[in-house]
Amino acid sequence: MEAKTKDLWVYVETKEDGSAKNVGLELLGPGRDLADKQGGKLVAIVIGSGVDQAVNDASAQGANQVIVVDAPEFKDYTTDAYTAALYHLIEKYGPTTLLIGATPDGRDLGPRLACRIKTGLTADCTALDIDEESGNVAWTRPAFGGNLMATILCPDHRPQIGTVRPGVFKKSPPAEPKAEIIREEFHVPPEQIRTELLEIIQETAGELVDLEGADIIVSGGRGVGGPEGFAPVKELAEVLGATVGASRAAVDAGWISHAHQVGQTGKTVAPKLYIACGISGAIQHLAGMSGSDCIVAINKDPDAPIFDVADYGIVGNLFEVLPALTEELRKLKA
């Protein structure tokens, strides 16, 4: 498909209440930088039912335009309906680039859409830029099990599409909404929607762990030694009002549920404070938390790679350090 404009689009997912999910709003920040370098507009795409709040949210995050498809058949995400709607919009307006959040729905929508358009898709990106020589988007993502970072270009087909994990970029402070709102009348016949949402079952039997929205995360790794080793981690998190995270090693060992996992195969996070307890700092874990504002590492190995990215490091036994730290914090709060 040929690009008709130099515009960059950001697909903004919506919640049940019609507001925008954070990942789409986070992508409007780097989207603005890329759009300026490409010489086009920043356009937010909102699809759903009763999504006026999401439209306002996207406008307040600096979008020049918001294109809206609002109809009852888009109340719940379905691959057929959403692919058809986004394909229709791309065919009509012809953007040069599309950013999609690497959520469960985004990871379903992106490949289906790319296949229909006959263009490429770069999945799970952790950095975005413009290649100065070619003018293409330079998509950076972990490769070979996270052991190196690959930068990928899509020179021959448009639009260039990539998915980006939630939490990789920070949401900008909202401003006065000034975007031009374009409402598209588009409907998908019921017989073309081959799936129906029957029930939503919360993961891990109702355990909801909001790592991506947490301001403070206290994570435990292989160094906690077992499920009981998370007790001091959880105590510190409780005092700080923090969320408990974990490395893949701790999750794979069955010490804590996957809902807590931070890293390449878990959640990508960017809290104000990240405390890593007994985590060595493998590149797969660093890929998920290196964007944190402040990183504190506690490890008895002075040569652990985690200290290379930490703002503050404590070399010591976490079972001695964490109780002492928790006690001091309790005194300060008292």
Side-chain angles (χ1 to χ4, degrees):
M1 190 176 288
E2 247 182 70
K4 300 175 184 177
T5 70
K6 294 183 179 180
D7 296 348
L8 181 138
W9 286 12
V10 174
Y11 169 61
V12 178
E13 281 189 50
T14 58
K15 301 177 185 176
E16 287 184 15
D17 62 1
S19 62
K21 289 186 179 179
N22 275 339
V23 61
L25 303 180
E26 291 165 2
L27 291 178
L28 288 168
R32 162 56 60 201
D33 295 336
L34 295 180
D36 290 345
K37 290 178 181 179
Q38 289 180 166
K41 295 190 291 288
L42 175 62
V43 181
I45 306 299
V46 178
I47 302 173
S49 180
V51 290
D52 286 346
Q53 184 57 54
V55 172
N56 291 334
D57 294 341
S59 180
Q61 290 295 324
N64 300 118
Q65 285 182 344
V66 181
I67 300 176
V68 191
V69 176
D70 193 330
E73 62 264 38
F74 301 108
K75 175 66 176 175
D76 298 312
Y77 173 81
T78 60
T79 306
D80 295 318
Y82 275 64
T83 301
L86 203 41
Y87 178 78
H88 166 76
L89 297 178
I90 290 171
E91 199 172 38
K92 180 174 180 178
Y93 292 98
T96 190
T97 306
L98 171 62
L99 304 182
I100 300 174
T103 62
D105 289 348
R107 285 172 168 160
D108 176 76
L109 177 63
R112 177 65 68 88
L113 183 66
C115 186
R116 185 169 296 189
I117 296 170
K118 295 181 171 58
T119 188
L121 180 140
T122 309
D124 279 356
C125 299
T126 55
L128 304 168
D129 205 349
I130 296 293
D131 179 60
E132 291 185 6
E133 187 176 328
S134 65
N136 295 309
V137 176
W139 312 88
T140 301
R141 69 176 306 279
F144 294 100
N147 291 310
L148 58 83
M149 305 300 286
T151 298
I152 298 169
L153 305 180
C154 182
D156 300 325
H157 301 281
R158 292 294 181 269
Q160 305 162 89
I161 303 179
T163 60
V164 184
R165 283 188 174 200
V168 169
F169 297 100
K170 292 185 183 296
K171 189 168 63 172
S172 304
E176 187 68 27
K178 295 180 180 178
E180 174 192 5
I181 311 301
I182 300 173
R183 295 189 179 273
E184 283 283 334
E185 282 293 327
F186 181 80
H187 295 278
V188 182
E191 63 271 15
Q192 292 184 15
I193 302 175
R194 295 170 292 178
T195 56
E196 179 185 357
L197 179 63
L198 298 178
E199 181 185 3
I200 297 174
I201 301 172
Q202 301 291 2
E203 64 177 338
T204 60
E207 182 185 10
L208 296 177
V209 183
D210 185 16
L211 286 168
E212 292 156 349
D215 286 332
I216 305 173
I217 296 174
V218 183
S219 280
R222 193 191 302 274
V224 304
E228 66 285 347
F230 271 93
V233 174
K234 291 176 180 177
E235 286 178 21
L236 177 58
E238 185 179 352
V239 170
L240 290 171
T243 301
V244 175
S247 71
R248 177 175 176 173
V251 171
D252 286 350
W255 300 342
I256 195 168
S257 75
H258 183 268
H260 294 269
Q261 186 174 326
V262 174
Q264 186 185 349
T265 52
K267 300 285 178 65
T268 300
V269 300
K272 294 176 181 175
L273 174 62
Y274 188 89
I275 303 176
C277 311
I279 295 174
S280 63
I283 190 170
Q284 291 89 342
H285 188 77
L286 300 184
M289 45 66 73
S290 56
S292 306
D293 290 346
C294 180
I295 299 171
V296 177
I298 303 167
N299 201 297
K300 63 183 180 181
D301 178 7
D303 298 319
I306 191 71
F307 289 123
D308 294 336
V309 300
D311 298 286
Y312 301 95
I314 301 173
V315 178
N317 187 323
L318 69 90
F319 295 106
E320 297 173 0
V321 173
L322 290 186
L325 184 58
T326 302
E327 187 59 34
E328 289 301 315
L329 287 168
R330 283 196 176 117
K331 289 177 183 177
L332 286 172
K333 290 184 76 172

